[in-house]
Amino acid sequence: MQLRFFNLLTRMSLLFAICLQFVNANAQDSVNFWDKVRFGGGIGAAFGSGYTDVAIAPGAIYQFNNYVALGLGVQGSYVRQRDYYESFMYGGSAIVLLNPIPQVQLSAELEQLRVNLNVDERFEDRYPYLNFRDRDFWNTALFVGAGYQMQNVTIGLRYNVLYNKKDMVYSDALMPFIRVYF
């Protein structure tokens, strides 16, 4: 499975590099490559009674023109529910952003995460019929989304077409997002 993820990231990185080289080679001399690169991503934190969720997801996109951008990102998160489970997730993603008009942003994002799930023994003992156990696995998500864009910020919804409730990576296939690139 690790080889599959490595191959996927290698292919995504190679495709991104080729696209960037093609654009850079065909650009006019007056346009600097780095002037079209935008950095951003997301961070998040949620805390509750015995619950902790912390995530960081930096990324970069190359803005080909006013309508199309292509980017790569990495992410990591830690989730813990006291007396139930603890989970570490990390991985990468590739994203395509389309702006048919300045206020509307459509997106497609392929994400590959390594999930390390550690279940509290007390939970396993109390609910053995749930078959909730320690697992380490790769999770692939393919998000399609739409949002309202205001300068550097986009607010919208995205849908994971590969959503699997049993993986317990995401609580629902439909998720709100706030995307920021500077």
Side-chain angles (χ1 to χ4, degrees):
M1 287 304 230
Q2 287 179 334
L3 184 59
R4 187 178 118 203
F5 175 68
F6 179 75
N7 286 338
L8 177 66
L9 277 184
T10 302
R11 289 180 188 148
M12 289 182 344
S13 300
L14 183 60
L15 177 63
F16 186 67
I18 290 170
C19 289
L20 292 180
Q21 289 300 324
F22 177 74
V23 169
N24 197 28
N26 292 322
Q28 297 176 358
D29 292 338
S30 62
V31 177
N32 183 356
F33 169 81
W34 292 106
D35 290 341
K36 293 190 172 207
V37 175
R38 297 169 54 200
F39 296 95
I43 59 172
F47 303 97
S49 179
Y51 181 79
T52 304
D53 184 347
V54 180
I56 185 164
I61 60 170
Y62 184 85
Q63 192 75 48
F64 289 97
N65 53 40
N66 290 336
Y67 306 102
V68 179
L70 178 66
L72 293 174
V74 295
Q75 74 178 66
S77 66
Y78 169 76
V79 180
R80 179 177 182 263
Q81 177 67 50
R82 185 178 50 222
D83 298 331
Y84 290 96
Y85 69 92
E86 179 179 55
S87 179
F88 297 93
M89 294 179 277
Y90 53 91
S93 64
I95 190 167
V96 176
L97 303 173
L98 304 172
N99 289 83
I101 60 175
Q103 298 82 10
V104 175
Q105 186 178 86
L106 305 174
S107 62
E109 183 175 8
L110 179 64
E111 174 186 270
Q112 183 75 43
L113 291 179
R114 179 65 176 176
V115 179
N116 304 114
L117 179 65
N118 302 308
V119 179
D120 190 290
E121 290 175 6
R122 293 170 290 187
F123 181 79
E124 284 182 300
D125 294 341
R126 283 190 303 245
Y127 306 101
Y129 55 88
L130 290 179
N131 197 23
F132 190 51
R133 57 183 172 23
D134 288 358
R135 297 188 309 160
D136 294 324
F137 62 97
W138 288 102
N139 183 71
T140 304
L142 177 59
F143 296 100
V144 292
Y148 178 73
Q149 184 173 7
M150 303 158 287
Q151 297 180 357
N152 297 337
V153 179
T154 305
I155 298 171
L157 287 172
R158 64 185 192 164
Y159 180 79
N160 182 357
V161 298
L162 302 177
Y163 173 73
N164 184 350
K165 186 175 184 174
K166 292 179 182 178
D167 286 339
M168 298 178 58
V169 175
Y170 295 107
S171 60
D172 199 298
L174 188 63
M175 294 181 283
F177 70 83
I178 298 175
R179 185 179 293 132
V180 180
Y181 284 102
F182 299 99

